[in-house]
Amino acid sequence: MVFLNEEDDLIAECNEVIVAKIARLDYPHNWPSLLTDLLCIIESTLQSLCTSSSASMLSTLALRRALKVLNAVLKETSSMKMLTGVKTMGEITNRLCGVFLTYYSELCRSQLSPILSPLHPAVLSGEHTLCIIVVAHLIYKCLVKLALWSWPRIVRRSKDDLQDLQVWFLELFQSSVAQLKLLSEQRISFVLALRSLPDPDPVAVATINSLTRHVRIFGKFFRRLQQLEPAKFVELPTCNAMVLYYWEKVVQAANGSSDMIKDASDAVFPVRFLVQAMVLFKENLAKWTPFRKGGPVSETTLSQQFVEDAVRLLVTRFIPLNPTDLEGWMSDPEEWVSEEDKETDHWEYELRPCGERVLMTLASQYRDYVVPLMVTTFKDVVSQPTTDLQSIIQKEAIYCAIGRCATRLRDVIPFTEWMQHYLAVEAKERNPNFPIIKRRIAWLIGKWIGDMGTPAADPIVWEVLIHLLSDRGDGTDAVVRFTAANAIRECVDTVSFDITVFAPFLPVAVTELVRLMHEVDTMEMKRRLAKSLKVIIEQADSQIVPHIEMIAEGIPGLWTAAGEEWLFKAQLLVVVASLITSAKEHSSTLVPLVIPLVQDGLSPGVAVHLDEDTLGLWLAALRNAPTLQGVSGPSLLQLFPLAISLLVGNLDLLGKVILIVESYLFVDAPLVLQNFALELLNAVANALTGQAIETNQRGIITIMCYMTQLAPSSFWAEALHNSGIFNHVVKLLRDDECSSAVLTDCVFVLARIAVADHEMFLRLVSAAAQVSSVPEDKIWEPILDQYWRQFDHMSEPRHRKLAAMGIAALVSTGRSEVLDRLPNEIFNLWTDVLYEIRESLRVADGDDDGLKLYWDVDVAPDSYFAGSRDTLEYDRRKQVFERDPVRTVQLTSYLTSALQAAERACGGAQVFKEKYLDKTDPTVLTQLKTSLAG
């Protein structure tokens, strides 16, 4: 333990971490003396401190180091979740809780209270006082660790199990409340006394800082207890009185001079202390409301006068913008707006956002008191002339309060009339101080319409927002424009959005957003504006088409200027993808923009940041492309080699790349295969033989299925052989080492090939035998074996029918390897399928009107469309589905034709009967004949 005398703070902090990490692993079994050694040093040095009247930071060094080490050990051990760690922390708690509470109580009683009682700053100038406060603070931090670990266990277990611990906890909590009030009042008195001194002593300043930190730890402790068990927290003895004391300090701060509130330790009311007070008050309000079903859950309920006074205090003192806010507004508008909109992160740490949340909670829990007050205030303020800065700031605070409580006020405040008669007028005011009001008007509209989903049916809403977005005259500024851009996004991005009302304002909205993106400096603001543009594009849908060119022209400049700002570049890719999706068949003009974006986004060094969004753009372009051939410029076909390279060399993106290749085939499979059939199937072979996960292996096989459906065999058969992929499929079936799902998909591919061109299938088998230097029956054997084995894994009727048609196509070839299995496997397979499905010809006016499928639905499953809904590809996939022979060809007719072809190939019906039909089970043969006869 000699390291506890280390004078260098940085080295000492490293020692704390090291000891805590070792203790997590080794205490108590391999380092049983750790706590004993620390406690011996703490007890001896603490005794020396209490008996001395001239302690210094140096003389208390070992004590302070030991307490910090112990605190680090407690922090580490309390975070352990395994039972061994929980047991260890329980033993530590039982050993230390009473001892440390005694340490703290005695130190406060015999040292801290006598020292701080004289209300004179001279008592703070001695280093002894500073040492006492620092040591007390460190002891209390250890107590907090123990208490926070114990609190959930005390709440969730029976009182008998933890009775002693519960008594200790309640004693600690009540003494903490008492100590908070005492030290808080003493601290305020000393700070006020120090302010009168022209040159305060540095030791006194350090003491005040330490005292402030110690007072603040009480609030941290109470807040964490409240977060862990809010319902039980409010039931703790003296809890409600403590929270109301905190609120009393908020009221006292609000009624004092403005310079008493600062974000500094030597302020009379530090901001962090006031925020703690507001948060504790806010979170307890839900337990105090008298309007809750079943009545109040505690004895504390707030009177109407108390609530109204609290609302007035918040609206007049804490919610209005202060000089620091206005200074930040003017010095860096972009940063100021970005920080203002980070509401979720900041409200527990900053005074104004916290005040707004307290107001919202009061309006929710005490609505019968707050709503009438807000309505009266609204009526008093809305029509009053606003000219000077102070009245403008106060009106802005009222508007803020109304926006925050919009859900409670929407039925009692006539928003449309307010907009028409007041907000629209104020939005056009030229007063140089009116940007404060205008920015809040834009924000208010966004809250009222966006948060509540209220339809913006009145064009006046859009007139005001578009004016605030585009106005560049007197009485406005960049903050107003940025806020208007965000408000437009909130209003547009609602379920009730009506594009017909917004359409007249669409050109200006799009133009101004693109203009602002070029003007702003920070990438954060560029990204926010791009997000607003994206939402407008998506909601405008086809009405964005006239503005495509204007939007697209600005993208290259923004892309180049962004450099390595990957988040903004990703947002630009999303914007272009949204533009394509909305434009659909009119998106052809964007191809010259898409190609360089995709190439750059997937280039080395860039792809690691932008690959997902780039592939999303590429897929959107393909799914909405009417053709792959450019009329007089670049075409999407020139990107296909890039897709092939990704198919081979990027396992992480394989799933998305498979969809891209599918999209190419659905747009124009003959064109793609005419130019890249061998390259594509080489890539498919490499990907299938690589380390792809099962889902992607099945996706690769699906590519081959679509290929056989979308193009004649002359486009793909030769490449299927030359690439080795046909041989590889046969090998997969022979080895039988893949999952049944992959093997079943391989059977589907073979069935598709056979249905598409059974003669070509024979040629592929023959070529595969030559390459492998084996007889053809060695190729047929695994194919036919797996056909039968995987049949039971086919659950969907359309898949089982495809299998039946595929084997029927092979039967029609007359190959003995196939026909030898006819009496047993094939006939059984056919009878199973025929038993499950029923089909008949639709007849209308005596003409054949297609096939009626009793076994299938008219719409393909969602998985078939692969997320392509609302794109041109959806229609293309639907047409392929509807033209699929599985849906258009009657199975009984198909099987009959196959058997007739087999008879001819065998030398006639008699030969066929003797060689195959006579070997069939009579019952099966009868069932089959009955089914085929209809």
Side-chain angles (χ1 to χ4, degrees), residues 66-84:
L67 288 170
K68 287 184 177 181
V69 168
L70 180 60
N71 183 61
V73 171
L74 293 176
K75 182 177 181 180
E76 193 71 32
T77 310
S78 63
S79 67
M80 298 170 69
K81 304 301 181 186
M82 301 298 288
L83 288 178
T84 303

Short mmCIF file of all heavy atoms in Angstrom, two decimals, residues 66-84:
data_model
loop_
_atom_site.label_atom_id
_atom_site.label_comp_id
_atom_site.label_asym_id
_atom_site.label_seq_id
_atom_site.Cartn_x
_atom_site.Cartn_y
_atom_site.Cartn_z
N ALA A 66 -6.41 6.48 -0.48
CA ALA A 66 -7.06 5.23 -0.06
C ALA A 66 -8.56 5.26 -0.33
O ALA A 66 -9.16 4.27 -0.78
CB ALA A 66 -6.79 4.98 1.43
N LEU A 67 -9.19 6.39 -0.06
CA LEU A 67 -10.64 6.51 -0.31
C LEU A 67 -10.94 6.45 -1.81
O LEU A 67 -11.94 5.85 -2.23
CB LEU A 67 -11.15 7.83 0.28
CG LEU A 67 -11.23 7.88 1.81
CD1 LEU A 67 -11.52 9.30 2.29
CD2 LEU A 67 -12.29 6.91 2.33
N LYS A 68 -10.09 7.05 -2.61
CA LYS A 68 -10.30 7.00 -4.07
C LYS A 68 -10.12 5.57 -4.59
O LYS A 68 -10.87 5.12 -5.46
CB LYS A 68 -9.34 7.95 -4.77
CG LYS A 68 -9.70 9.42 -4.60
CD LYS A 68 -8.76 10.30 -5.41
CE LYS A 68 -9.17 11.77 -5.31
NZ LYS A 68 -8.29 12.65 -6.11
N VAL A 69 -9.12 4.87 -4.07
CA VAL A 69 -8.93 3.47 -4.48
C VAL A 69 -10.14 2.64 -4.08
O VAL A 69 -10.66 1.83 -4.86
CB VAL A 69 -7.64 2.90 -3.86
CG1 VAL A 69 -7.60 1.38 -4.04
CG2 VAL A 69 -6.41 3.54 -4.49
N LEU A 70 -10.61 2.82 -2.85
CA LEU A 70 -11.78 2.07 -2.40
C LEU A 70 -13.00 2.39 -3.25
O LEU A 70 -13.78 1.50 -3.61
CB LEU A 70 -12.06 2.39 -0.92
CG LEU A 70 -13.26 1.67 -0.32
CD1 LEU A 70 -13.08 0.15 -0.39
CD2 LEU A 70 -13.49 2.11 1.13
N ASN A 71 -13.17 3.66 -3.59
CA ASN A 71 -14.29 4.05 -4.44
C ASN A 71 -14.21 3.36 -5.81
O ASN A 71 -15.22 2.90 -6.35
CB ASN A 71 -14.30 5.57 -4.61
CG ASN A 71 -15.48 6.05 -5.43
OD1 ASN A 71 -16.63 5.86 -5.06
ND2 ASN A 71 -15.20 6.66 -6.57
N ALA A 72 -12.99 3.28 -6.37
CA ALA A 72 -12.80 2.61 -7.66
C ALA A 72 -13.11 1.12 -7.55
O ALA A 72 -13.72 0.52 -8.44
CB ALA A 72 -11.36 2.82 -8.16
N VAL A 73 -12.70 0.50 -6.44
CA VAL A 73 -12.99 -0.92 -6.22
C VAL A 73 -14.50 -1.15 -6.11
O VAL A 73 -15.05 -2.10 -6.69
CB VAL A 73 -12.27 -1.43 -4.95
CG1 VAL A 73 -12.74 -2.83 -4.58
CG2 VAL A 73 -10.77 -1.41 -5.16
N LEU A 74 -15.18 -0.29 -5.38
CA LEU A 74 -16.64 -0.41 -5.25
C LEU A 74 -17.34 -0.23 -6.59
O LEU A 74 -18.30 -0.94 -6.91
CB LEU A 74 -17.16 0.62 -4.24
CG LEU A 74 -16.74 0.42 -2.78
CD1 LEU A 74 -17.25 1.57 -1.92
CD2 LEU A 74 -17.23 -0.91 -2.25
N LYS A 75 -16.87 0.72 -7.36
CA LYS A 75 -17.47 0.95 -8.68
C LYS A 75 -17.32 -0.27 -9.57
O LYS A 75 -18.25 -0.67 -10.27
CB LYS A 75 -16.81 2.17 -9.33
CG LYS A 75 -17.38 2.53 -10.69
CD LYS A 75 -16.72 3.78 -11.24
CE LYS A 75 -17.32 4.16 -12.60
NZ LYS A 75 -16.67 5.38 -13.16
N GLU A 76 -16.15 -0.88 -9.55
CA GLU A 76 -15.88 -2.05 -10.38
C GLU A 76 -16.68 -3.25 -9.89
O GLU A 76 -17.31 -3.96 -10.69
CB GLU A 76 -14.38 -2.36 -10.35
CG GLU A 76 -13.93 -3.35 -11.39
CD GLU A 76 -13.95 -2.78 -12.80
OE1 GLU A 76 -13.71 -1.57 -12.95
OE2 GLU A 76 -14.21 -3.56 -13.73
N THR A 77 -16.69 -3.47 -8.61
CA THR A 77 -17.36 -4.65 -8.06
C THR A 77 -18.89 -4.54 -8.20
O THR A 77 -19.56 -5.54 -8.47
CB THR A 77 -16.99 -4.85 -6.58
OG1 THR A 77 -15.56 -4.79 -6.45
CG2 THR A 77 -17.48 -6.18 -6.06
N SER A 78 -19.42 -3.36 -8.01
CA SER A 78 -20.88 -3.18 -8.09
C SER A 78 -21.41 -3.39 -9.50
O SER A 78 -22.61 -3.60 -9.69
CB SER A 78 -21.28 -1.79 -7.59
OG SER A 78 -20.72 -0.78 -8.41
N SER A 79 -20.54 -3.31 -10.49
CA SER A 79 -20.98 -3.51 -11.88
C SER A 79 -21.03 -4.98 -12.27
O SER A 79 -21.49 -5.32 -13.36
CB SER A 79 -20.05 -2.77 -12.83
OG SER A 79 -18.75 -3.35 -12.83
N MET A 80 -20.55 -5.87 -11.42
CA MET A 80 -20.52 -7.30 -11.73
C MET A 80 -21.93 -7.89 -11.66
O MET A 80 -22.67 -7.63 -10.72
CB MET A 80 -19.58 -8.03 -10.77
CG MET A 80 -18.12 -7.56 -10.88
SD MET A 80 -17.04 -8.20 -9.58
CE MET A 80 -16.97 -9.93 -10.02
N LYS A 81 -22.28 -8.69 -12.67
CA LYS A 81 -23.63 -9.24 -12.76
C LYS A 81 -23.70 -10.73 -12.43
O LYS A 81 -24.77 -11.24 -12.12
CB LYS A 81 -24.19 -9.03 -14.17
CG LYS A 81 -24.19 -7.58 -14.63
CD LYS A 81 -25.00 -6.69 -13.71
CE LYS A 81 -25.00 -5.24 -14.19
NZ LYS A 81 -25.68 -4.34 -13.23
N MET A 82 -22.56 -11.42 -12.53
CA MET A 82 -22.57 -12.85 -12.20
C MET A 82 -22.78 -13.03 -10.70
O MET A 82 -22.48 -12.15 -9.89
CB MET A 82 -21.26 -13.49 -12.64
CG MET A 82 -20.97 -13.35 -14.13
SD MET A 82 -22.22 -14.15 -15.16
CE MET A 82 -21.83 -15.86 -14.86
N LEU A 83 -23.28 -14.21 -10.35
CA LEU A 83 -23.65 -14.45 -8.95
C LEU A 83 -22.47 -14.31 -8.00
O LEU A 83 -22.60 -13.82 -6.87
CB LEU A 83 -24.26 -15.85 -8.81
CG LEU A 83 -25.67 -16.02 -9.42
CD1 LEU A 83 -26.13 -17.46 -9.25
CD2 LEU A 83 -26.65 -15.07 -8.76
N THR A 84 -21.29 -14.73 -8.46
CA THR A 84 -20.11 -14.61 -7.60
C THR A 84 -19.82 -13.15 -7.29
O THR A 84 -19.53 -12.77 -6.14
CB THR A 84 -18.89 -15.25 -8.29
OG1 THR A 84 -19.18 -16.61 -8.61
CG2 THR A 84 -17.67 -15.19 -7.39
#
